[in-house]
Amino acid sequence: MSCSTPESAVLKRPSWGKMVQKLMDFNHADDTKPSVSSEKRDSGYFSEILTEDPFEEALCAEIVDNLSEILAEASARAVGWSRLIVPDQLVEHIGQELLHLAAEEPCGLKGALIDLCVENGKNFQSIGQLSVDPYTVPTFHLTFLLRPDLGGLWPKVTRRLSNSLRLSTGFTAVKKKLYSSSEAYIEEL
C-alpha cells in the first residue's frame, strides 16, 4: 500500500498566526458553553469528537483548512481527471478522525505528518503532504487514502461528461507511530 509522490506534491504547514487567532477567538467565546467555538459548532466540524484542549481544536481547524486547500489545488490530472470534486462531509470526517487519532499521541496534533492520497485504479497517488509543526519532530504519520465515488449511475455520467472525479465521503486512515516499532493502525471509514 505505497503512495507514490509526484514532483508536484505540495508540502504545506499551518499558519501559526491563523491558529493563534482562532485560539484567541475561542478564548473570547462564552465560557459556559462546551469547549468548542461557535464557528466550529456551526460549521459542523468536530460534532462528534470534542477535546478539552482548545489549542488542539484550533490546530485541527487550521489543519483541516490546509488539507482543504491541498485538495482544492490538487491536480486531478495526476490521477487521470481534469477536476477533483471534494464533498464537504469528507473534510469534516477527516477533521474528526484527526482529533481521534491524535488523542493518545505525546505531542498531540503537533506531532503529525499527514499525507493525502487518491485511489487511481489499484494504486494510490499522492496529492499532497502536510507537516503540522516544523519545530516538532513528527511522532506519527497519518495517510488518508481517499476513494472515488463510484456509486450509482449519476457519478458515471458526470465523470464522462465533465472529465471530473468526485471523491467519496469514505476513506481509509493509516496511522504509523514513528517512535514505536508497533504495526500500523488502519481504520476504514
Side-chain angles (χ1 to χ4, degrees):
M1 171 175 25
S2 67
C3 185
S4 61
T5 305
E7 293 176 20
S8 63
V10 180
L11 178 64
K12 297 201 76 150
R13 291 191 170 109
S15 161
W16 285 103
K18 286 182 184 178
M19 205 166 29
V20 169
Q21 180 61 41
K22 286 182 182 186
L23 186 58
M24 296 302 286
D25 291 343
F26 177 82
N27 287 336
H28 294 302
D30 186 6
D31 292 333
T32 62
K33 303 274 183 195
S35 68
V36 82
S37 71
S38 61
E39 174 187 332
K40 291 179 207 161
R41 198 177 313 109
D42 295 341
S43 69
Y45 290 150
F46 322 116
S47 59
E48 295 177 17
I49 299 174
L50 299 177
T51 67
E52 295 298 319
D53 186 356
F55 181 76
E56 282 290 293
E57 291 176 12
L59 180 58
C60 189
E62 183 67 25
I63 292 168
V64 166
D65 288 344
N66 285 331
L67 292 176
S68 294
E69 283 181 32
I70 289 172
L71 287 168
E73 295 170 359
S75 172
R77 287 185 184 93
V79 289
W81 305 98
S82 63
R83 195 174 82 158
L84 195 60
I85 301 170
V86 182
D88 291 336
Q89 296 88 356
L90 173 63
V91 177
E92 290 177 20
H93 291 152
I94 288 174
Q96 292 169 356
E97 193 64 14
L98 281 170
L99 286 174
H100 170 71
L101 293 173
E104 300 292 319
E105 290 300 317
C107 298
L109 283 172
K110 286 175 54 173
L113 178 63
I114 303 168
D115 278 316
L116 290 176
C117 298
V118 175
E119 185 178 328
N120 184 10
K122 294 182 181 181
N123 298 316
F124 286 90
Q125 181 72 42
S126 176
I127 58 171
Q129 185 177 69
L130 183 123
S131 177
V132 175
D133 183 1
Y135 302 108
T136 302
V137 174
T139 58
F140 66 108
H141 182 212
L142 292 175
T143 304
F144 290 102
L145 304 172
L146 311 177
R147 298 183 294 269
D149 184 6
L150 301 175
L153 180 62
W154 185 246
K156 294 175 185 173
V157 171
T158 57
R159 192 173 336 142
R160 287 209 171 147
L161 293 175
S162 65
N163 196 28
S164 62
L165 177 65
R166 179 177 173 82
L167 294 177
S168 169
T169 56
F171 58 88
T172 302
V174 179
K175 177 182 176 183
K176 175 70 175 144
K177 293 184 178 190
L178 300 176
Y179 56 88
S180 169
S181 62
S182 66
E183 302 262 334
Y185 172 76
I186 301 173
E187 192 167 299
E188 189 81 25
L189 301 168

